Amino acid sequence: MSASPLIEIRDLRIRFHGDDGRITHAVDSVDLSVANGATLGLVGESGCGKSVTSLAIMGLLPKQSAEISGAIRFDGFDLLTTPDQTLRDLRGNRLAMIFQEPMTSLNPSFTIGDQIIETILRHRGGSRKSARERAIELLRRVHIPSPERRIDDYPHKLSGGMRQRVMIAMALACDPRLLIADEPTTALDVTLQAQILELMRELKAASGAAIILITHDLGVVAEVCDEVAVMYAGEIVERAPVDELFSAPQHPYTVGLLGSIPRLDHRAEQLATIEGMVPNMAQPPAGCRFAPRCPFVLDACTRAPPPLVEVSVGHLSRCIRTPLELLVS
Amino acid sequence: MALLEVNGLVKHFVAQRSLLGRALAHVKAVDGVSFSLQAGKTLALVGESGCGKSTVSRLVLRLIEPDAGMIRFDGRDLLALDAGALRAFRREAQIIFQDPYASLNPRMTVGQILTEPLALHDLVPPARRAGRVAELLRLVGLEPRLARRYPHEFSGGQRQRIAIARALAVEPKLIICDEPVSALDVSIRSQILNLLRELQDRLGLAYIFVSHDLAVVKHIADHVAVMNLGQIVETAEADALFAAPRHPYSRALLSAIPLPQPKAKRTTVLLEGEIPSALNPPSGCRFHTRCPFVIERCRNEAPALLADRTGHATACHRTAELPSADAILPTAGGFSPALAKLVAAFSRKTEGGNPAGVVRQGTTSTTM
């Protein structure tokens, strides 16, 4: 890992206060860092806290209901204490985000050109004419055919794949240092997904931006990420370089996930299933949060929450039974 | 004899009308689709958005009426059935939808949802319906006491189980599964896929499995039909198709799926451009605008779906000349011995428990 990471998250905790006074622990003691030019995959199932973590980085969580503690250091700022005005200067500029739903993340009443130009003018200034030229250039970079004509189209004239390209062009408008992509290909067909993933790889190579890719698709992770953090019930349960995560996972939840996906490269008669349900995050279990569903559970697992420990260099697991290989040898 | 035979199915939707109501433009959603399905087997219809796979599944149930073509179910001509006979037919063919949040009535308890088909088809005398509901819930791995609850009290995976139980209530021969696991989380997805396979083995169900996910299809299907813009471009036994896909579109689909195998060595066929609109499909071969192997003939002449001796059929002028598909196929992956054992610990937990241990009862009490 390089000397100082581009973004460093320390002990991030996010609690939501519901109207009925209930408190939901959405994210608990999350530590993460991403180096310049690296791609981190944030993996987990619905409700594990991966999207909430990314919204916290962007400063997009509702102030009234979300209680956030910890630190998010990015480029010399602590994003959690940065005033809104400064955050607005960072967002869309050095910090950019792509959302899952390309159908709803563009404003239908403005042309795509207007929306990209707005970003450029807000952060870079200059003339409208030069911003327009830059917008055309950006659309060309994301492989939109005849961008000089397309720039005046309204979003409804574009297909889903095209809109996601426009979102990417907009995110790249000010050469961000960190790009957060929240399920960027989930709403797309597979052939379009392949195009967008290829585009992201291409752009990463060209710009050197760091990427946090949030996804539930382990195939996407294997194809584009360098490092992976697996989240379960608001916590990071495993963090590893991508090769190691797939070849020798050290948390039972990761093992279960890997076993439960149908694969093209080998056929399992029966898929693995993770029995039971995710815990109620209003009252998280006292010990390991995965314990009620874990086939390797011991009494000790339910007594105290396990710490995130380093199993091998750069490979961390929140499980007291590591290394898991010893359980089956 | 095949359970279901579909021949030359056509459905065009009117997309635009003139002031006087004359049709100006048609979406050619399904344009000459033929296939057959044996009892107890699974046919997967695969393709991207707008390829017509869901329309085919609705046509097969006559939820919408085809413009042309023939559908035979168990030897009967479906299109000739009157309303009463159609209702009786619906007992034999059911459908499970993609979105388990939208396909259950929020105002009915699970018990009411499952009782309705029993009452509608008068399958079980009223006094025994509660017992049958309990059986159905056990069959899909839910506890019978949950019958008193409402759909909102369940997770997505549990709701899909309820939808499956509702389909099973009438003891159908065929269930159409329209993207049944697409809306579910990875670990829940595997539970539902396992359940569908298990139910098929035990009850001899035939499935039409509509999906865009080839990895899921490989896991569940016996036979696969790949669709593009309203037509089948390739159809074969699943093993044959996944071992050696022939049509350039099937190859592209297969190679586009990200493998959970970092540094997997294979070539990805990246299709250029967008999926053309079914409103105005390309002339000749409908795939020619995106095909890496396109020649002049493809632009003018539509290829026929031709089968070889093994029944592997492809609609491509260049089938014989295409290079081997080996480069795009995933290299054999799989788990290290240690990891395989760890994964097995997750499978073992389900064995012997519900729903595999439940014997189907109540079939004798049915009245027709």
Side-chain angles (χ1 to χ4, degrees):
Chain A
M1 200 165 281
S2 62
S4 78
L6 172 69
I7 182 162
E8 196 171 17
I9 300 177
R10 282 271 158 264
D11 200 24
L12 181 70
R13 284 166 204 270
I14 303 170
R15 275 176 199 152
F16 288 108
H17 294 262
D19 293 335
D20 51 0
R22 266 200 343 179
I23 298 173
T24 304
H25 301 242
V27 170
D28 260 333
S29 55
V30 160
D31 293 294
L32 274 180
S33 61
V34 190
N36 274 304
T39 302
L40 171 79
L42 206 51
V43 188
E45 298 181 276
S46 313
C48 72
K50 55 194 195 302
S51 289
V52 174
T53 303
S54 70
L55 292 174
I57 299 173
M58 296 297 286
L60 292 175
L61 288 174
K63 293 231 161 31
Q64 313 84 318
S65 58
E67 177 194 332
I68 312 175
S69 67
I72 303 177
R73 277 185 271 282
F74 171 77
D75 223 14
F77 297 92
D78 181 350
L79 296 180
L80 293 182
T81 55
T82 308
D84 283 351
Q85 182 55 43
T86 322
L87 263 186
R88 278 195 285 272
D89 289 340
L90 286 172
R91 276 196 297 250
N93 193 8
R94 274 180 282 179
L95 258 180
M97 184 152 178
I98 311 169
F99 297 90
Q100 171 173 354
E101 206 26 273
M103 299 296 168
T104 53
S105 39
L106 289 167
N107 188 332
S109 40
F110 291 92
T111 65
I112 58 170
D114 285 337
Q115 300 184 53
I116 302 174
I117 291 167
E118 182 191 9
T119 311
I120 300 170
L121 290 179
R122 167 68 176 76
H123 294 295
R124 292 287 166 90
S127 71
R128 200 175 161 82
K129 186 161 170 287
S130 69
R132 187 181 163 87
E133 275 161 21
R134 168 131 179 99
I136 292 174
E137 182 47 40
L138 285 163
L139 291 175
R140 187 170 292 125
R141 260 175 76 193
V142 296
H143 305 297
I144 288 192
S146 36
E148 44 299 290
R149 278 193 296 121
R150 283 299 196 170
I151 190 168
D152 295 316
D153 277 349
Y154 285 89
H156 75 266
K157 290 184 124 180
L158 306 179
S159 66
M162 284 287 197
R163 286 185 218 196
Q164 200 58 298
R165 284 167 196 270
V166 171
M167 285 305 296
I168 295 175
M170 200 183 295
L172 296 176
C174 299
D175 299 313
R177 305 278 311 284
L178 176 68
L179 177 66
I180 299 176
D182 189 355
E183 304 268 11
T185 59
T186 307
L188 302 178
D189 275 314
V190 275
T191 57
L192 300 177
Q193 164 168 289
Q195 291 175 0
I196 297 289
L197 291 179
E198 181 61 32
L199 176 65
M200 285 181 60
R201 270 192 292 256
E202 202 180 295
L203 296 171
K204 188 182 122 183
S207 71
I211 299 178
I212 296 180
L213 178 72
I214 296 166
T215 180
H216 67 278
D217 187 332
L218 287 165
V220 171
V221 168
E223 292 222 344
V224 289
C225 297
D226 306 311
E227 207 198 350
V228 192
V230 180
M231 289 188 76
Y232 181 78
E235 294 177 326
I236 291 181
V237 294
E238 182 164 8
R239 219 171 102 193
V242 68
D243 289 351
E244 265 196 63
L245 188 98
F246 283 87
S247 62
Q250 289 301 333
H251 194 282
Y253 177 62
T254 316
V255 172
L257 274 187
L258 281 173
S260 65
I261 41 177
R263 300 173 66 129
L264 283 176
D265 52 358
H266 68 113
R267 183 169 179 152
E269 270 316 303
Q270 177 104 13
L271 297 171
T273 50
I274 304 174
E275 295 298 312
M277 302 228 282
V278 285
N280 177 355
M281 293 313 287
Q283 297 144 327
C288 169
R289 293 182 180 179
F290 188 61
R293 309 173 74 186
C294 182
F296 310 114
V297 65
L298 298 177
D299 273 353
C301 299
T302 55
R303 278 191 219 117
L308 192 63
V309 291
E310 193 155 37
V311 184
S312 56
V313 181
H315 194 156
L316 294 88
S317 169
R318 195 181 289 280
C319 177
I320 57 170
R321 306 218 63 192
T322 55
L324 295 183
E325 291 83 0
L326 296 182
L327 297 177
V328 291
S329 63
Chain B
M1 187 183 57
L3 176 69
L4 176 74
E5 255 178 285
V6 171
N7 216 327
L9 207 56
V10 175
K11 179 70 189 176
H12 292 183
F13 293 103
V14 176
Q16 200 188 349
R17 286 186 190 277
S18 71
L19 269 180
L20 300 174
R22 218 156 37 86
L24 293 177
H26 293 275
V27 174
K28 293 172 181 160
V30 174
D31 220 5
V33 162
S34 309
F35 59 83
S36 66
L37 172 62
Q38 304 293 325
K41 297 286 182 188
T42 303
L43 168 76
L45 293 176
V46 187
E48 295 179 280
S49 315
C51 74
K53 55 192 192 299
S54 289
T55 307
V56 168
S57 63
R58 280 155 182 72
L59 287 169
V60 165
L61 287 183
R62 266 188 77 186
L63 294 176
I64 47 179
E65 297 293 326
D67 294 333
M70 190 269 309
I71 308 170
R72 295 186 81 81
F73 184 87
D74 235 359
R76 277 168 297 160
D77 181 357
L78 266 197
L79 300 179
L81 297 183
D82 59 24
L86 190 60
R87 175 180 280 202
F89 156 70
R90 296 257 165 80
R91 238 204 87 183
E92 298 179 49
Q94 287 283 310
I95 184 164
I96 304 165
F97 296 98
Q98 170 172 358
D99 186 350
Y101 291 87
S103 55
L104 300 175
N105 188 338
R107 289 163 175 268
M108 290 164 83
T109 64
V110 169
Q112 288 168 330
I113 288 171
L114 296 180
T115 308
E116 201 174 33
L118 300 178
L120 204 60
H121 292 282
D122 200 17
L123 293 178
V124 180
R128 289 165 62 178
R129 281 177 193 157
R132 178 75 180 130
V133 165
E135 268 171 36
L136 286 167
L137 285 172
R138 270 198 298 269
L139 191 64
V140 297
L142 293 173
E143 289 174 48
R145 62 178 175 84
L146 299 176
R148 283 191 297 275
R149 299 214 184 157
Y150 286 90
H152 76 265
E153 299 176 70
F154 294 88
S155 67
Q158 289 174 320
R159 286 181 208 214
Q160 205 57 301
R161 286 177 192 267
I162 296 165
I164 293 171
R166 178 177 59 185
L168 292 174
V170 296
E171 296 161 32
K173 292 178 180 158
L174 169 69
I175 297 184
I176 292 177
C177 310
D178 190 353
E179 304 266 13
V181 296
S182 305
L184 304 177
D185 265 320
V186 195
S187 66
I188 309 298
R189 194 177 288 190
S190 65
Q191 294 176 10
I192 298 295
L193 288 173
N194 284 347
L195 174 66
L196 286 171
R197 281 247 300 243
E198 222 170 78
L199 291 170
Q200 178 166 52
D201 288 349
R202 295 174 50 212
L203 308 176
L205 298 167
Y207 293 137
I208 291 181
F209 196 93
V210 177
S211 179
H212 68 280
D213 187 335
L214 279 166
V216 169
V217 164
K218 181 174 183 184
H219 180 73
I220 199 141
D222 300 300
H223 211 87
V224 182
V226 181
M227 289 188 68
N228 180 45
L229 292 173
Q231 295 175 329
I232 292 178
V233 297
E234 181 168 2
T235 175
E237 294 292 322
D239 292 342
L241 191 125
F242 284 100
R246 292 184 188 162
H247 197 281
Y249 180 61
S250 316
R251 295 177 179 207
L253 275 185
L254 204 55
S255 83
I257 295 178
L259 293 179
Q261 205 190 106
K263 307 205 176 76
K265 285 197 177 46
R266 66 164 177 169
T267 320
T268 309
V269 184
L270 266 193
L271 293 180
E272 298 288 321
E274 300 284 311
I275 304 167
S277 157
L279 200 59
N280 191 10
S283 63
C285 171
R286 291 185 181 181
F287 185 58
H288 85 250
T289 54
R290 299 205 289 163
C291 183
F293 302 105
V294 63
I295 53 171
E296 198 46 42
R297 187 179 173 202
C298 308
R299 296 197 173 90
N300 308 315
E301 190 187 327
L305 186 66
L306 298 175
D308 67 6
R309 260 171 294 136
T310 63
H312 189 152
T314 318
C316 176
H317 292 309
R318 306 197 63 195
T319 309
E321 314 158 34
L322 293 177
S324 146
D326 289 348
I328 62 142
L329 294 177
T331 45
F335 300 133
S336 68
L339 182 50
K341 280 187 198 158
L342 288 169
V343 166
F346 278 92
S347 314
R348 213 171 296 135
K349 234 184 156 182
T350 62
E351 274 171 28
N354 276 338
V358 180
V359 187
R360 196 185 197 199
Q361 295 164 354
T363 38
T364 47
S365 68
T366 56
T367 49
M368 250 309 272

